[in-house]
Amino acid sequence: MNTSLSIDNIMQCVRPHLRGLRPYSSARDEFSGQAHIYLDANENPFGSPLLSASSYNRYPDPHQQAVKERLAALKGVSPKQIFLGNGSDEAIDLLIRAFCEPAQDSILITPPTYGMYEVSAAIHNAGVVKVPLTPESFQLNTQMVIEQSKHAKIIWLCSPNNPTGNLLRKEDIRAILNHTHCLVVVDEAYIDFSDDEGWLPHLQHYPQLVVLQTFSKAWGLAGLRLGVAYAHPQIIELLDKIKPPYNINAYSQKMALQALEQPRQVALWIEQIQRERQTLHHALKALPFVDKVFPSDANFILVRVHDAPAIYRYLIRHGIIVRDRSRVVLCDNCLRITVGKAEENKQLLDVLQHWQKED
Ligand SMILES: Cc1ncc(COP(=O)(O)O)c(C=O)c1O
């Protein structure tokens, strides 16, 4: 058992040159109180051409304190356990940047999974150790992950997983946390669509655990670009040190605060999507050319059909875009279909019912 892994052990895995890094100190770091004349940040004193939005001539809070406080209250964590990124893609990038020495260190991923882990690793010239999920049930090969983790700095687990839609079993993730020495990132971009509480309640037990969530899915704010990493305050401090100083713009911060006042609206959408997901699951299953509809805890469904590329093209001709995942490992002939509004799902099913194999 590896219950003795401490935050000091994890911080030893940070790239050595970053450990003593002095971050950029912005004008807003050096003075963060209230004043009536600001001549410290070389901003435009007149405002901006956007007359209705004159405060955009000023730089935003680099620490996003107001958003973090509101989010911390909603999620039951401390603001010090929160990093905000320009999408969770930024958190993915920064975690690899912080822990993986180029041409030396590796991350471990469990395909089929979200593509950006591998792309970000490639950008940083980090290696990628792949331990595929089990075929069809898409669960972790836990023993193999533990064995192979000695070649990796970060283990990336996506739950609910994209593109398969299923949650990874809690006991498997717990075994990985207990028997490896890596940073373990659980990407919960889709957790809001599941009835599972996810891994946030376990943060205090595992200093090596990072949980990623996003405003892009259930919160309906993909266009704002706002992702969240929850972790031990020392890991958050490290990410804050290496991020671009003003990575979350003023508009995103303002809109996030407004959105966070409306959790009830988000909960209603989630309920609707869960209901639609079930309806769509059963309707897809009944189609003659569908081999398998995989169970989903996310806002999309993976479905195996007779000829995925042909059906994909057929849907495009009818103005409906889904994701062809048939070239992804373990996903032969699979399409990933986002759960839409009831009317959209109905149109999708109407079109699918008329599909006939192309000559
Ligand atoms: C599993 C997973 N993680 C992260 C992301 C990126 O989300 P964001 O929009 O916050 O960058 C996605 C986007 O599709 C995703 O599927």
PDB file of all heavy atoms in Angstrom, residues 87-89 92 114 117 158 162 187 189-190 214 216-217 225-227, ligand 1:
ATOM      1  N   GLY A  87      -9.872  26.793 -20.666  1.00  0.00           N
ATOM      2  CA  GLY A  87     -10.313  25.436 -20.985  1.00  0.00           C
ATOM      3  C   GLY A  87      -9.499  24.456 -20.159  1.00  0.00           C
ATOM      4  O   GLY A  87      -8.410  24.799 -19.681  1.00  0.00           O
ATOM      5  N   SER A  88     -10.045  23.230 -19.958  1.00  0.00           N
ATOM      6  CA  SER A  88      -9.193  22.267 -19.235  1.00  0.00           C
ATOM      7  C   SER A  88      -8.020  21.851 -20.095  1.00  0.00           C
ATOM      8  O   SER A  88      -7.032  21.334 -19.584  1.00  0.00           O
ATOM      9  CB  SER A  88      -9.977  21.064 -18.698  1.00  0.00           C
ATOM     10  OG  SER A  88     -11.047  20.731 -19.502  1.00  0.00           O
ATOM     11  N   ASP A  89      -8.098  22.115 -21.394  1.00  0.00           N
ATOM     12  CA  ASP A  89      -6.930  21.855 -22.254  1.00  0.00           C
ATOM     13  C   ASP A  89      -5.701  22.611 -21.753  1.00  0.00           C
ATOM     14  O   ASP A  89      -4.581  22.115 -21.875  1.00  0.00           O
ATOM     15  CB  ASP A  89      -7.240  22.261 -23.697  1.00  0.00           C
ATOM     16  CG  ASP A  89      -8.154  21.248 -24.398  1.00  0.00           C
ATOM     17  OD1 ASP A  89      -8.238  20.093 -23.930  1.00  0.00           O
ATOM     18  OD2 ASP A  89      -8.770  21.620 -25.405  1.00  0.00           O
ATOM     19  N   ILE A  92      -4.272  20.637 -18.889  1.00  0.00           N
ATOM     20  CA  ILE A  92      -3.584  19.439 -19.404  1.00  0.00           C
ATOM     21  C   ILE A  92      -2.177  19.832 -19.858  1.00  0.00           C
ATOM     22  O   ILE A  92      -1.174  19.205 -19.494  1.00  0.00           O
ATOM     23  CB  ILE A  92      -4.390  18.816 -20.579  1.00  0.00           C
ATOM     24  CG1 ILE A  92      -5.734  18.275 -20.077  1.00  0.00           C
ATOM     25  CG2 ILE A  92      -3.582  17.731 -21.284  1.00  0.00           C
ATOM     26  CD1 ILE A  92      -6.720  17.875 -21.168  1.00  0.00           C
ATOM     27  N   TYR A 114      -9.508  10.618 -24.453  1.00  0.00           N
ATOM     28  CA  TYR A 114      -9.483  11.970 -25.009  1.00  0.00           C
ATOM     29  C   TYR A 114      -8.121  12.242 -25.674  1.00  0.00           C
ATOM     30  O   TYR A 114      -7.073  12.020 -25.056  1.00  0.00           O
ATOM     31  CB  TYR A 114      -9.760  12.956 -23.874  1.00  0.00           C
ATOM     32  CG  TYR A 114      -9.784  14.412 -24.304  1.00  0.00           C
ATOM     33  CD1 TYR A 114     -10.510  14.808 -25.426  1.00  0.00           C
ATOM     34  CD2 TYR A 114      -9.074  15.374 -23.594  1.00  0.00           C
ATOM     35  CE1 TYR A 114     -10.534  16.137 -25.815  1.00  0.00           C
ATOM     36  CE2 TYR A 114      -9.101  16.704 -23.981  1.00  0.00           C
ATOM     37  CZ  TYR A 114      -9.830  17.080 -25.095  1.00  0.00           C
ATOM     38  OH  TYR A 114      -9.844  18.390 -25.483  1.00  0.00           O
ATOM     39  N   TYR A 117      -4.476  14.438 -24.468  1.00  0.00           N
ATOM     40  CA  TYR A 117      -3.379  14.040 -23.581  1.00  0.00           C
ATOM     41  C   TYR A 117      -2.151  13.708 -24.433  1.00  0.00           C
ATOM     42  O   TYR A 117      -1.033  14.144 -24.143  1.00  0.00           O
ATOM     43  CB  TYR A 117      -3.747  12.816 -22.720  1.00  0.00           C
ATOM     44  CG  TYR A 117      -5.100  12.869 -22.055  1.00  0.00           C
ATOM     45  CD1 TYR A 117      -5.909  11.735 -21.981  1.00  0.00           C
ATOM     46  CD2 TYR A 117      -5.571  14.047 -21.495  1.00  0.00           C
ATOM     47  CE1 TYR A 117      -7.154  11.778 -21.373  1.00  0.00           C
ATOM     48  CE2 TYR A 117      -6.818  14.086 -20.880  1.00  0.00           C
ATOM     49  CZ  TYR A 117      -7.607  12.947 -20.838  1.00  0.00           C
ATOM     50  OH  TYR A 117      -8.846  12.982 -20.247  1.00  0.00           O
ATOM     51  N   CYS A 158      -9.695   9.086 -17.581  1.00  0.00           N
ATOM     52  CA  CYS A 158     -10.816   9.932 -17.985  1.00  0.00           C
ATOM     53  C   CYS A 158     -12.110   9.226 -17.581  1.00  0.00           C
ATOM     54  O   CYS A 158     -12.398   8.135 -18.053  1.00  0.00           O
ATOM     55  CB  CYS A 158     -10.750  10.125 -19.496  1.00  0.00           C
ATOM     56  SG  CYS A 158     -11.938  11.309 -20.117  1.00  0.00           S
ATOM     57  N   ASN A 162     -14.131   9.702 -22.531  1.00  0.00           N
ATOM     58  CA  ASN A 162     -14.417  10.119 -23.904  1.00  0.00           C
ATOM     59  C   ASN A 162     -13.491   9.294 -24.798  1.00  0.00           C
ATOM     60  O   ASN A 162     -12.279   9.327 -24.574  1.00  0.00           O
ATOM     61  CB  ASN A 162     -14.111  11.619 -24.042  1.00  0.00           C
ATOM     62  CG  ASN A 162     -14.306  12.138 -25.446  1.00  0.00           C
ATOM     63  OD1 ASN A 162     -14.793  11.436 -26.318  1.00  0.00           O
ATOM     64  ND2 ASN A 162     -13.899  13.383 -25.664  1.00  0.00           N
ATOM     65  N   ASP A 187      -9.794  13.004 -15.242  1.00  0.00           N
ATOM     66  CA  ASP A 187     -10.473  14.021 -16.042  1.00  0.00           C
ATOM     67  C   ASP A 187     -11.982  13.768 -15.963  1.00  0.00           C
ATOM     68  O   ASP A 187     -12.488  12.781 -16.495  1.00  0.00           O
ATOM     69  CB  ASP A 187      -9.973  13.942 -17.488  1.00  0.00           C
ATOM     70  CG  ASP A 187     -10.526  15.062 -18.359  1.00  0.00           C
ATOM     71  OD1 ASP A 187     -11.534  15.680 -17.981  1.00  0.00           O
ATOM     72  OD2 ASP A 187      -9.939  15.309 -19.433  1.00  0.00           O
ATOM     73  N   ALA A 189     -14.491  15.782 -17.137  1.00  0.00           N
ATOM     74  CA  ALA A 189     -15.183  16.759 -17.980  1.00  0.00           C
ATOM     75  C   ALA A 189     -16.694  16.471 -18.044  1.00  0.00           C
ATOM     76  O   ALA A 189     -17.503  17.388 -18.187  1.00  0.00           O
ATOM     77  CB  ALA A 189     -14.580  16.755 -19.388  1.00  0.00           C
ATOM     78  N   TYR A 190     -17.063  15.168 -17.943  1.00  0.00           N
ATOM     79  CA  TYR A 190     -18.469  14.782 -18.131  1.00  0.00           C
ATOM     80  C   TYR A 190     -19.154  14.332 -16.843  1.00  0.00           C
ATOM     81  O   TYR A 190     -20.248  13.761 -16.887  1.00  0.00           O
ATOM     82  CB  TYR A 190     -18.539  13.660 -19.190  1.00  0.00           C
ATOM     83  CG  TYR A 190     -17.989  14.127 -20.515  1.00  0.00           C
ATOM     84  CD1 TYR A 190     -16.675  13.839 -20.886  1.00  0.00           C
ATOM     85  CD2 TYR A 190     -18.753  14.907 -21.377  1.00  0.00           C
ATOM     86  CE1 TYR A 190     -16.149  14.302 -22.085  1.00  0.00           C
ATOM     87  CE2 TYR A 190     -18.243  15.370 -22.580  1.00  0.00           C
ATOM     88  CZ  TYR A 190     -16.931  15.060 -22.929  1.00  0.00           C
ATOM     89  OH  TYR A 190     -16.426  15.530 -24.104  1.00  0.00           O
ATOM     90  N   THR A 214     -14.773  21.025 -16.180  1.00  0.00           N
ATOM     91  CA  THR A 214     -14.842  22.091 -17.181  1.00  0.00           C
ATOM     92  C   THR A 214     -16.212  22.767 -17.183  1.00  0.00           C
ATOM     93  O   THR A 214     -17.213  22.145 -16.799  1.00  0.00           O
ATOM     94  CB  THR A 214     -14.548  21.522 -18.591  1.00  0.00           C
ATOM     95  OG1 THR A 214     -14.628  22.575 -19.544  1.00  0.00           O
ATOM     96  CG2 THR A 214     -15.523  20.424 -18.988  1.00  0.00           C
ATOM     97  N   SER A 216     -17.292  23.695 -20.043  1.00  0.00           N
ATOM     98  CA  SER A 216     -17.633  23.549 -21.468  1.00  0.00           C
ATOM     99  C   SER A 216     -18.795  22.606 -21.747  1.00  0.00           C
ATOM    100  O   SER A 216     -19.322  22.595 -22.848  1.00  0.00           O
ATOM    101  CB  SER A 216     -16.427  23.016 -22.246  1.00  0.00           C
ATOM    102  OG  SER A 216     -15.351  23.897 -22.198  1.00  0.00           O
ATOM    103  N   LYS A 217     -19.164  21.773 -20.781  1.00  0.00           N
ATOM    104  CA  LYS A 217     -20.147  20.725 -21.079  1.00  0.00           C
ATOM    105  C   LYS A 217     -21.482  21.066 -20.409  1.00  0.00           C
ATOM    106  O   LYS A 217     -22.248  21.810 -20.963  1.00  0.00           O
ATOM    107  CB  LYS A 217     -19.592  19.362 -20.635  1.00  0.00           C
ATOM    108  CG  LYS A 217     -18.182  19.065 -21.173  1.00  0.00           C
ATOM    109  CD  LYS A 217     -18.136  18.974 -22.675  1.00  0.00           C
ATOM    110  CE  LYS A 217     -16.707  18.809 -23.175  1.00  0.00           C
ATOM    111  NZ  LYS A 217     -16.612  18.817 -24.632  1.00  0.00           N
ATOM    112  N   ARG A 225     -14.224  29.250 -22.738  1.00  0.00           N
ATOM    113  CA  ARG A 225     -12.954  28.581 -22.446  1.00  0.00           C
ATOM    114  C   ARG A 225     -12.630  28.699 -20.958  1.00  0.00           C
ATOM    115  O   ARG A 225     -11.876  29.572 -20.515  1.00  0.00           O
ATOM    116  CB  ARG A 225     -11.786  29.137 -23.287  1.00  0.00           C
ATOM    117  CG  ARG A 225     -12.008  29.198 -24.758  1.00  0.00           C
ATOM    118  CD  ARG A 225     -12.440  27.882 -25.345  1.00  0.00           C
ATOM    119  NE  ARG A 225     -11.450  26.829 -25.146  1.00  0.00           N
ATOM    120  CZ  ARG A 225     -11.753  25.627 -24.627  1.00  0.00           C
ATOM    121  NH1 ARG A 225     -12.990  25.325 -24.278  1.00  0.00           N
ATOM    122  NH2 ARG A 225     -10.821  24.732 -24.464  1.00  0.00           N
ATOM    123  N   LEU A 226     -13.205  27.852 -20.189  1.00  0.00           N
ATOM    124  CA  LEU A 226     -12.945  27.861 -18.751  1.00  0.00           C
ATOM    125  C   LEU A 226     -12.929  26.423 -18.235  1.00  0.00           C
ATOM    126  O   LEU A 226     -13.943  25.734 -18.238  1.00  0.00           O
ATOM    127  CB  LEU A 226     -14.029  28.678 -18.032  1.00  0.00           C
ATOM    128  CG  LEU A 226     -13.696  29.127 -16.610  1.00  0.00           C
ATOM    129  CD1 LEU A 226     -12.440  29.993 -16.570  1.00  0.00           C
ATOM    130  CD2 LEU A 226     -14.866  29.900 -16.014  1.00  0.00           C
ATOM    131  N   GLY A 227     -11.745  26.006 -17.814  1.00  0.00           N
ATOM    132  CA  GLY A 227     -11.578  24.657 -17.265  1.00  0.00           C
ATOM    133  C   GLY A 227     -11.008  24.762 -15.862  1.00  0.00           C
ATOM    134  O   GLY A 227     -10.446  25.788 -15.480  1.00  0.00           O
TER     135      GLY A 227
HETATM  136  C1  LIG B   1     -12.432  14.325 -21.551  1.00  0.00           C
HETATM  137  C2  LIG B   1     -12.228  15.752 -21.933  1.00  0.00           C
HETATM  138  N1  LIG B   1     -11.402  16.509 -21.223  1.00  0.00           N
HETATM  139  C3  LIG B   1     -11.190  17.793 -21.513  1.00  0.00           C
HETATM  140  C4  LIG B   1     -11.810  18.372 -22.596  1.00  0.00           C
HETATM  141  C5  LIG B   1     -11.492  19.799 -22.909  1.00  0.00           C
HETATM  142  O1  LIG B   1     -12.421  20.628 -22.367  1.00  0.00           O
HETATM  143  P1  LIG B   1     -12.243  22.207 -22.346  1.00  0.00           P
HETATM  144  O2  LIG B   1     -13.286  22.730 -23.264  1.00  0.00           O
HETATM  145  O3  LIG B   1     -12.439  22.588 -20.908  1.00  0.00           O
HETATM  146  O4  LIG B   1     -10.837  22.520 -22.826  1.00  0.00           O
HETATM  147  C6  LIG B   1     -12.688  17.635 -23.381  1.00  0.00           C
HETATM  148  C7  LIG B   1     -13.352  18.241 -24.536  1.00  0.00           C
HETATM  149  O5  LIG B   1     -14.064  17.673 -25.279  1.00  0.00           O
HETATM  150  C8  LIG B   1     -12.900  16.279 -23.052  1.00  0.00           C
HETATM  151  O6  LIG B   1     -13.707  15.490 -23.777  1.00  0.00           O
END
